[in-house]
Every structure is written in structure tokens, then in C-alpha cells.
């Protein structure tokens, strides 16, 4: 069996490792200022936000709690949203009275966050905001009020820094566009 080189499947690099690091540092500094003196909980939406969450929390200089949720929004084709959202892992602690920031890797149609925001509002946080690494507004189906955005990107299917295609490519250090021919290859 020949080893597959992850990088060989990537066309353009959309956001380099260096740009990600610089932006995460900026976001962390802004969040630290905005929530100084408050009780902040970051809620990471697994699995895609894992690298972003790990870097962002360490770029924040105020005390912060973290929690993890896992939701699945995609059924069928791996590059299309089904609109179906399932909770695979719920919060492990109460967020009542906490300032909560949802940490996402990407907002595409917005259906996942639309569901999640309603769900978390029901748990009575003091405030509820959204921090996303990537925003792809061209594909939005529902309005989402985003508080912190890393990068606004065009309507291209991207992978890396947490983002996957068929569960692969999450371990790339940058965000890149998957070569179209990769979609056509059966697993
Ligand atoms: C991806 C991504 C977002 C969602 C965005 O998650 O991490 O949560 O899709 O798409 P939407 O705005 O169209 O709803 P996915 O369900 O693929 O899970 P993953 O994070 O485990 O990759
Ligand atoms: C979900 C998702 N996952 C990986 N790459 C993209 O471009 C995506 N949009 N929505």
C-alpha cells in the first residue's frame, strides 16, 4: 500500500499557518479585553474546532472555563449540509449565569449554529456569543450573529486545521482547498 501525502491533495493554501497564528493571537487579546472581570466559558464544537479551541484558549489571558460539545450536521455527501443536527456529546457542566462563547471552525449554511444557539440559550447563560475561525457567508441559509470571525472565505470546500473531508485532513496546520479530483475518488 502506498502512503498518501495529505499535502498532495490540496490545491491552494487559503490561510497559512502563520496567518492563523497571528489572527488567533488577535482574537485572544480582544476576547480577554471584552470579558475582563466576567465569568467566561468557551464551548468548543467538536470535532472541527479542536485545533482552533486549543490555540485560542491559550491566547486568552483571563481566567476561562472550557466545555466540549459534539454535534453532527452532515449526513449523506460529505461536502453538503443535510440540515440535520444531532447532539453526540452534551455539555458536562451548567452554563447558567456564565458568559458563553461558542467556538466553531466554520459557519457555512449556519444550520448547525442556529440549532446550537437555541439549545444553549435554553440553559440560561448570562450571555451567548460566537467565535468562528472561518465564515463562508455565500452559503448562508439562516442569519447568524457572529461576534468574532477569524477569516471570511469564498465558497470553496476547505480542509485542514480541524476541518475535514470524510474525517481526513484535520491534522494539516493550514487551511487549504481540496483538489476537486479528490471528491471523485471512492474511499
Ligand atoms: C461542520 C463544522 C460546523 C458545521 C458548519 O461540522 O465544524 O460545525 O459543519 O456547517 P453549517 O454552517 O452548514 O451547519 P461537522 O458536522 O462536519 O462535524 P465536525 O466538526 O466533526 O467535522
Ligand atoms: C463544513 C465544512 N467542512 C469542511 N470544509 C468546508 O468547507 C465546510 N463547510 N461546512
Amino acid at each position: 500500500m502506498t502512503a498518501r501525502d495529505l499535502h498532495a491533495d490540496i490545491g491552494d493554501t487559503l490561510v497559512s499557518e502563520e496567518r492563523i497564528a497571528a489572527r488567533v493571537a488577535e482574537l485572544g487579546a480582544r476576547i480577554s479585553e471584552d470579558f475582563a472581570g466576567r465569568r467566561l466559558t468557551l464551548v468548543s464544537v467538536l470535532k472541527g474546532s479542536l485545533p482552533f479551541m486549543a490555540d485560542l484558549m491559550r491566547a486568552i489571558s483571563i481566567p476561562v472555563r472550557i466545555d466540549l460539545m459534539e454535534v453532527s450536521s452532515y449526513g449523506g455527501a460529505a461536502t453538503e449540509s443535510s440540515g440535520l443536527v444531532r447532539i453526540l456529546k452534551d455539555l458536562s457542566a451548567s452554563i447558567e449565569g456564565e458568559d458563553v462563547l461558542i467556538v466553531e471552525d466554520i459557519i457555512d449554511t449556519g444550520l448547525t449554529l442556529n440549532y446550537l444557539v437555541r439549545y444553549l440559550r435554553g440553559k440560561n447563560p448570562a450571555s451567548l456569543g460566537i467565535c468562528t475561525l472561518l465564515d463562508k457567508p455565500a452559503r448562508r441559509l439562516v442569519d447568524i450573529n457572529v461576534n468574532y470571525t477569524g477569516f471570511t472565505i469564498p465558497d470553496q470546500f476547505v480542509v485542514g486545521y480541524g476541518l475535514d473531508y470524510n474525517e481526513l485532513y484535520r491534522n494539516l496546520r493550514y487551511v487549504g482547498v481540496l483538489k476537486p479530483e479528490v471528491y471523485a475518488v471512492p474511499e
Side-chain angles (χ1 to χ4, degrees):
M1 193 176 147
T2 26
R4 267 168 72 186
D5 178 5
L6 285 184
H7 302 276
D9 291 345
I10 310 300
D12 289 342
T13 298
L14 207 59
V15 194
S16 67
E17 184 179 355
E18 293 74 19
R19 284 181 69 209
I20 293 173
R23 190 71 182 125
V24 169
E26 281 173 12
L27 290 174
R30 269 187 51 206
I31 291 168
S32 306
E33 258 182 58
D34 293 351
F35 290 92
R38 313 269 309 177
R39 287 176 59 92
L40 177 63
T41 299
L42 301 177
V43 173
S44 170
V45 187
L46 297 172
K47 307 177 193 123
S49 72
L50 188 60
F52 181 41
M53 175 73 163
D55 289 341
L56 182 69
M57 61 188 267
R58 289 175 294 170
I60 293 175
S61 56
I62 59 169
V64 69
R65 290 173 180 72
I66 65 162
D67 210 334
L68 312 170
M69 283 192 74
E70 185 171 1
V71 301
S72 170
S73 60
Y74 281 20
T79 58
E80 288 299 322
S81 175
S82 67
L84 205 81
V85 179
R86 279 180 305 152
I87 294 184
L88 304 177
K89 188 217 168 292
D90 208 339
L91 295 175
S92 56
S94 167
I95 53 167
E96 188 161 352
E98 298 278 324
D99 287 318
V100 173
L101 260 189
I102 302 173
V103 179
E104 259 290 21
D105 54 344
I106 190 164
I107 310 178
D108 191 309
T109 63
L111 293 171
T112 305
L113 274 175
N114 189 47
Y115 174 86
L116 214 51
V117 162
R118 285 161 197 256
Y119 178 77
L120 292 177
R121 269 209 195 110
K123 298 188 175 288
N124 300 319
S127 70
L128 185 60
I130 293 170
C131 178
T132 186
L133 178 73
L134 304 176
D135 187 4
K136 209 196 270 186
R139 286 185 27 104
R140 199 74 95 253
L141 294 177
V142 286
D143 268 352
I144 298 287
N145 185 21
V146 188
N147 306 81
Y148 305 93
T149 301
F151 302 94
T152 301
I153 63 166
D155 186 8
Q156 288 176 303
F157 193 81
V158 294
V159 293
Y161 197 66
L163 292 128
D164 74 306
Y165 170 67
N166 276 348
E167 296 298 330
L168 295 176
Y169 307 100
R170 295 191 198 273
N171 55 323
L172 289 173
R173 291 176 177 270
Y174 56 90
V175 174
V177 182
L178 200 57
K179 286 182 181 164
E181 58 261 36
V182 178
Y183 302 101
V185 180
E187 272 292 294

